[in-house]
Amino acid sequence: MAPRSYIPLAALALIAGAIATVLIIGEQRGADTDASNRGEPGDPAERRGALVDEIIFTDESDPGRLTALIEHGSHHLFTQGIDSATIFRQAQDSEQVDHFLSHGTAIELTLNPAAFEDEQRLNPFREPRIREALNRLIDRRHVAEELFGGLAVPRYLPINTAFPDYARLAETARSLELKYRHDPERAEATIAETMEARGAERREGRWYYADEPVTLTVLIRTEDNRERVGDYIANLMEDLGFTVERLYRTAEEASRIWMTGDPAAGRWHIYTGAWVSTVINRDIGDNFNYYYTPRGRPDPLWQAYEPTEAFSEAAERLERRDYTSVGERQELMEEGLTLAMENSARIWLADQLSVWPHAADLEVAGDLAGGLSGSQLWPFTLRFSDRVGGRVVAATPSMLTEPWNHVAGSNWIFDRMILRGLTDSAVLPDPFTGLYWPQRLDSAEVTVTEDAPVNRTLDWVSLETAETIEIPGDAWIDWDPEEQRILTVDDRHEDGLTARSRVVLHYEDDYLERRWHDGSQVSVADVVLPWILSFARADEDSPLFDPSHLPEFEVYQRNFRGWRITDTDPLTVEVYSDQVYPDAENLVAARIPAAQPWHVVNLGIQAERRGELAFSSSKADRMDVEWLNLVSGPSLEVLRGYLRAAAEAEQVPFEQALGEWLREGEAAERYRALDTWQQERGHFWVDDGPFYLHSVRPVEGSIVLRRYPDHPDPADKWLRFTDPRIPELEIDGPLLVEHGEDLELTVRITYAGEPYPDEEIETARFLLFDRDDRLALKGESEPDGDGQWRIRVPAEALETLGTGANSMELAVTSRSVALPAFATHAFATLPAGGPEADSQEEE
């Protein structure tokens, strides 16, 4: 133990971090006085692109310091959602700190269902009945209220309670939640019965198999509240008579055990997992396929999954959207939820409420699911409330965690958050509804076959149906690696081909006049190259082949039916697919081809072909070379060599196919621009977003983004998305109702104290449960004007409830916000005549 006169390590870290931050910020101030934190009063509509001049990202792994850092003015926001009730209270009590909440983080237990190689070791979770029984063993309310300090809500099912599908499936969801509610005695009986059937025996309260204690290894993440969850679960298993080994591990350490390790080796039984949805998912039908079947991921754990034939079929149909009506989808979803609970390869525990602290004078559009790190609108909405311009300092728990490249670079959420500030996507998701809005598109046309249940909400998309959709013979569908040419539908399908959907993308008039950050002009080749490269990386005979790319490519090929460019003035693209989505806007988003600066990607292509670098981590490990990094490390010197060679030869990748899409002299222009860029910036990251990557300093732990002044959009374009209008509910009604009377309830739906417009309410559905928690009645509330709604239950329906306590549950969904709002009203039914009648009958 250190002497008491020593300064605690936490205090040393605070001092060191503050000094580093001051040095970094001070250096930036000296380098560019225009990018100051002062900013100037002004009209955002008169500005282009970002509303602040500069963002400095600094390393900060201790969220406990954040409130003090914001109060002292050295930082403005944190890029990680906080799950600490203590820090939340600190933020609430501070006048200098504001916050918003997100709802997209799910906490669960991942179970190992494999048969162990060592046959003398029993894996209880090989048995679906034991996995299923865990749902009743765990007190989810305790997890949400005690372990997460109220910053979570109980969750039972593989659907987020804050997403639209939960409200659509409320009846089935509530039924399953009641079926699997906390019942430890029943859970213990089921587990004991199944263990004995497998040949285990309980001696003096401990389980044995083959005369050895049955030991469970609980793999516990240490960075957040999952450490408390892991200890809680381990205690429960010990109480049941299992011997428990607790492995406390960080994310990287745990990943090598549960995700990439062989589950049959038996190194773990339970892992404290968490998953983040970065956007509101309006269709979670593919969750079953992803979380419960070998088709979900190529990792060893997923290959150990053995869903029943019925569950596998339902999951695959939902992933393919293989249904012809909303009703059929609803039935498949209900079947999937029921079978998922019986399977229980995962035990869902809670939906975490993440707190995102920021300076009180800062505004930003956080996503209701993904918060700040998941928001795609943060670069367009980040601003000081009283001024235009200025510098923002953001603390992030991790950055440059993995190498950055456009093809298969870092997928860590904190790296992706920074990259979203550098990128300009063709469409952007509404942070409150999950529907997509156009950014670089003017409009889109969607045509689906008559059996495809697709709806349209926003006017920028048109929707039509057709009996059949014939694919034009000149549509591109494949790549010939030997002849280095694009193959058409006519080349591959002499008898023609049809699809379930056609999407026509109309880009902005000046889309091909835009510039990449290095000053080079955008061209059609930037859109065509990523598509060709995807085929080359799936070709076993290609030097670009990457086995880790195959699962993603196979999913793509399963539904892809061709695409073609029909015009370049403006750019117009048609895409054909057999996969559909419930929302036409999101169907469009899924069909947009990627756009990447072809001259930058080409340097990686040449380096991988010659075995010096690799786009993906998996291939880099297999080849024993560097994982391609465009912003730092040994890759930079390798790339400089390939840039010189490419510039001398005016090199074009896949030139036979791309050549026709290049402007005269484009290759020479591109490489000149890139050479100047990397000499000035020290890196090769070129993009087209509202910010450009000004500098990367891995040693100092900072990344600097600066406003790109030539961005085409007015800076106020997306400011309407900074305030989610989440409905607030209040139910008034009697607490006692006698038989023979109707039940009348008044519901007030408001926001910020004002009535919620009736036309913005999508549904206001009620469920009536009797004293045994059985669903007795369901229906829709009726609008009564000025934000008031009515629920009426006729006397004859109340008669079926008998006497005793009942509950009315209301779920309201808004067209403006996808997050459902819930309210409950408890009441009791009495015999006619009230309590006096009861006492007279008893006498």
Side-chain angles (χ1 to χ4, degrees):
M1 179 177 291
R4 287 182 182 272
S5 58
Y6 280 18
I7 299 174
L9 289 176
L12 284 173
L14 180 61
I15 294 170
I19 292 173
T21 299
V22 169
L23 289 174
I24 293 167
I25 297 173
E27 181 180 346
Q28 294 304 322
R29 283 201 179 106
D32 186 356
T33 56
D34 289 336
S36 72
N37 192 39
R38 292 186 297 273
E40 298 290 341
D43 184 355
E46 297 176 358
R47 183 180 171 102
R48 313 301 289 184
L51 283 157
V52 297
D53 299 317
E54 182 177 77
I55 308 173
I56 301 175
F57 291 92
T58 67
D59 267 321
E60 178 51 69
S61 59
D62 182 6
R65 299 170 6 122
L66 187 65
T67 301
L69 292 174
I70 294 177
E71 288 178 334
H72 295 157
S74 64
H75 289 71
H76 299 94
L77 54 84
F78 194 42
T79 67
Q80 180 183 31
I82 304 297
D83 65 356
S84 166
T86 300
I87 299 176
F88 183 30
R89 285 192 294 270
Q90 290 174 356
Q92 288 179 308
D93 294 340
S94 173
E95 294 182 358
Q96 289 80 38
V97 181
D98 200 350
H99 70 277
F100 62 89
L101 300 175
S102 67
H103 306 257
T105 299
I107 308 300
E108 53 92 29
L109 301 178
T110 298
L111 305 181
N112 183 349
F116 290 170
E117 295 169 348
D118 181 357
E119 296 181 358
Q120 298 304 305
R121 294 179 58 208
L122 175 66
N123 178 12
F125 303 124
R126 178 76 176 156
E127 296 294 330
R129 287 195 71 213
I130 291 181
R131 301 197 302 262
E132 183 184 14
L134 287 188
N135 287 287
R136 297 187 176 96
L137 180 69
I138 297 166
D139 185 350
R140 289 170 170 85
R141 190 162 299 281
H142 172 78
V143 172
E145 296 179 359
E146 299 299 327
L147 303 187
F148 281 85
L151 289 176
V153 294
R155 171 171 169 171
Y156 293 74
L157 308 171
I159 55 174
N160 190 299
T161 56
F163 287 178
D165 266 325
Y166 185 81
R168 297 184 191 119
L169 294 156
E171 180 181 348
T172 300
R174 289 296 293 125
S175 174
L176 288 170
E177 288 165 358
L178 292 169
K179 178 180 179 180
Y180 290 100
R181 62 188 168 187
H182 186 47
D183 189 346
E185 291 80 12
R186 182 176 176 185
E188 183 173 4
T190 300
I191 292 171
E193 178 185 337
T194 311
M195 287 287 291
E196 290 170 356
R198 286 291 307 273
E201 59 178 338
R202 195 168 184 173
R203 306 176 197 160
E204 299 179 353
R206 314 307 296 172
W207 283 106
Y208 289 82
Y209 182 78
D211 289 327
E212 294 292 333
V214 179
T215 299
L216 301 181
T217 301
V218 183
L219 184 58
I220 302 173
R221 283 283 293 277
T222 58
E223 303 94 326
D224 49 39
N225 276 329
R226 280 180 287 170
E227 183 169 0
R228 302 177 69 190
V229 171
D231 284 332
Y232 167 67
I233 298 300
N235 291 341
L236 288 180
M237 303 315 295
E238 286 176 337
D239 291 343
L240 287 179
F242 294 100
T243 301
V244 175
E245 177 189 15
R246 307 180 194 214
L247 292 183
Y248 298 97
R249 296 292 186 269
T250 63
E252 185 178 356
E253 294 166 342
S255 178
R256 291 195 292 267
I257 298 173
W258 77 274
M259 180 173 279
T260 61
D262 182 1
R267 296 179 61 196
W268 65 282
H269 294 80
I270 303 174
Y271 168 66
T272 54
W275 302 86
V276 179
S277 297
T278 56
V279 297
I280 293 171
N281 192 343
R282 297 179 63 86
D283 176 16
I284 55 83
D286 51 7
N287 275 15
F288 304 103
N289 198 64
Y290 181 84
Y291 287 119
Y292 298 93
T293 81
R295 298 181 295 271
R297 290 176 64 104
D299 304 286
L301 172 61
W302 271 257
Q303 302 314 304
Y305 289 156
E306 297 177 353
T308 63
E309 183 177 349
F311 189 23
S312 179
E313 180 182 350
E316 187 172 15
R317 288 186 61 192
L318 284 164
E319 190 271 336
R320 294 199 319 263
R321 278 77 180 176
D322 180 18
Y323 40 76
T324 59
S325 68
V326 173
E328 186 179 3
R329 178 186 185 273
Q330 191 83 352
E331 291 175 2
L332 277 172
M333 291 291 292
E334 292 170 356
E335 180 183 5
L337 291 175
T338 300
L339 295 175
M341 296 303 291
E342 294 175 3
N343 176 285
S344 284
R346 281 187 165 77
I347 308 296
W348 300 94
L349 301 179
D351 279 332
Q352 178 186 314
L353 301 180
S354 297
V355 182
W356 301 84
H358 60 83
D361 63 345
L362 198 72
E363 297 180 6
V364 65
D367 194 280
L368 280 179
L372 183 61
S373 57
S375 172
Q376 294 193 38
L377 286 186
W378 80 257
F380 303 96
T381 58
L382 183 68
R383 65 168 176 161
F384 292 100
S385 56
D386 60 349
R387 59 195 184 274
V388 170
R391 173 189 291 111
V392 172
V393 180
T396 182
S398 175
M399 61 181 169
L400 302 174
T401 312
E402 293 178 337
W404 292 12
N405 70 68
H406 294 91
V407 177
S410 175
N411 197 42
W412 280 77
I413 190 167
F414 305 114
D415 286 337
R416 300 307 305 174
M417 183 262 180
I418 298 173
L419 288 169
R420 276 189 274 274
L422 305 173
T423 303
D424 200 12
S425 302
V427 294
L428 293 169
D430 187 315
F432 308 147
T433 68
L435 289 172
Y436 280 81
W437 292 87
Q439 170 70 342
R440 300 277 69 93
L441 295 183
D442 179 67
S443 63
E445 303 166 23
V446 175
T447 305
V448 295
T449 53
E450 294 170 349
D451 66 347
V454 179
N455 295 309
R456 184 204 70 161
T457 303
L458 306 176
D459 291 341
W460 70 275
V461 175
S462 67
L463 176 63
E464 295 181 349
T465 60
E467 185 175 349
T468 59
I469 299 175
E470 300 284 344
I471 302 174
D474 61 347
W476 304 345
I477 198 169
D478 206 347
W479 170 252
D480 187 327
E482 293 184 3
E483 298 186 11
Q484 291 286 289
R485 71 182 183 94
I486 295 171
L487 299 177
T488 66
V489 170
D490 280 345
D491 293 328
R492 285 296 195 207
H493 302 275
E494 295 181 359
D495 297 330
L497 196 63
T498 62
R500 289 189 81 194
S501 70
R502 173 178 63 234
V503 174
V504 183
L505 306 169
H506 298 278
Y507 287 77
E508 293 176 327
D509 289 346
D510 58 353
Y511 181 80
L512 296 177
E513 304 302 317
R514 293 159 54 254
R515 300 267 172 183
W516 295 104
H517 286 160
D518 66 357
S520 58
Q521 189 172 344
V522 172
S523 72
V524 177
D526 297 315
V527 178
V528 178
L529 174 61
W531 183 76
I532 295 175
L533 183 58
S534 181
F535 281 84
R537 297 181 69 224
D539 176 12
E540 294 185 10
D541 297 324
S542 168
L544 299 174
F545 173 66
D546 189 339
S548 67
H549 171 63
L550 281 178
E552 177 185 354
F553 182 77
E554 289 168 355
V555 171
Y556 169 76
Q557 268 204 319
R558 192 181 305 153
N559 300 300
F560 174 65
R561 293 296 177 268
W563 73 302
R564 63 176 181 167
I565 296 170
T566 60
D567 202 344
T568 58
D569 188 21
L571 180 64
T572 307
V573 177
E574 290 180 0
V575 188
Y576 297 83
S577 175
D578 271 351
Q579 189 180 51
V580 297
Y581 292 82
D583 297 293
E585 298 84 355
N586 294 24
L587 175 57
V588 171
R591 299 285 85 86
I592 295 173
Q596 298 165 354
W598 69 259
H599 57 310
V600 178
V601 175
N602 178 53
L603 303 186
I605 289 174
Q606 303 309 321
E608 184 167 304
R609 278 176 170 167
R610 289 163 178 78
E612 291 194 58
L613 299 172
F615 283 117
S616 76
S617 169
S618 174
K619 187 168 183 179
D621 290 343
R622 188 163 51 88
M623 295 173 59
D624 194 23
V625 298
E626 282 289 319
W627 186 0
L628 173 61
N629 193 345
L630 293 173
V631 299
S632 66
S635 295
L636 297 182
E637 191 56 40
V638 176
L639 293 171
R640 290 187 186 102
Y642 282 103
L643 174 56
R644 288 191 293 269
E648 289 174 6
E650 296 187 10
Q651 188 179 74
V652 177
F654 308 107
E655 186 170 9
Q656 184 174 328
L658 286 189
E660 66 174 294
W661 302 107
L662 299 178
R663 300 182 181 88
E664 184 176 351
E666 180 175 331
E669 173 206 339
R670 291 276 185 128
Y671 293 125
R672 280 196 304 270
L674 183 58
D675 184 52
T676 301
W677 173 264
Q678 66 88 24
Q679 289 189 48
E680 292 178 351
R681 304 287 170 227
H683 64 77
F684 285 85
W685 191 270
V686 173
D687 224 314
D688 60 349
F691 293 96
Y692 69 87
L693 184 59
H694 175 72
S695 66
V696 178
R697 294 187 172 91
V699 176
E700 295 90 339
S702 75
I703 291 177
V704 179
L705 274 54
R706 286 193 177 166
R707 171 178 167 256
Y708 178 51
D710 294 328
H711 192 271
D713 293 336
D716 65 346
K717 179 177 181 179
W718 296 100
L719 290 185
R720 67 187 187 276
F721 291 106
T722 55
D723 185 21
R725 294 169 49 81
I726 301 173
E728 299 163 358
L729 310 184
E730 183 180 343
I731 301 180
D732 282 339
L735 300 179
L736 301 173
V737 183
E738 294 185 7
H739 287 167
E741 297 178 350
D742 295 341
L743 171 64
E744 297 276 354
L745 299 177
T746 299
V747 180
R748 280 187 287 276
I749 306 179
T750 60
Y751 172 72
E754 297 295 323
Y756 211 98
D758 292 350
E759 63 273 14
E760 292 187 32
I761 298 298
E762 185 175 23
T763 62
R765 186 172 296 121
F766 68 82
L767 301 173
L768 176 59
F769 293 90
D770 65 16
R771 63 184 179 186
D772 296 318
D773 289 326
R774 291 187 297 250
L775 180 65
L777 184 69
K778 60 182 178 179
E780 297 287 339
S781 305
E782 297 179 359
D784 204 19
D786 201 27
Q788 292 207 133
W789 293 64
R790 289 182 293 104
I791 297 175
R792 179 181 175 274
V793 180
E796 54 269 23
L798 290 179
E799 290 279 355
T800 65
L801 298 177
T803 60
N806 313 283
S807 65
M808 176 71 73
E809 299 188 2
L810 178 68
V812 173
T813 57
S814 164
R815 293 183 173 87
S816 301
V817 181
L819 183 68
F822 299 95
T824 301
H825 178 75
F827 68 96
T829 45
L830 305 174
E836 293 85 358
D838 289 341
S839 62
Q840 289 174 357
E841 290 178 4
E842 291 169 0
E843 290 177 356

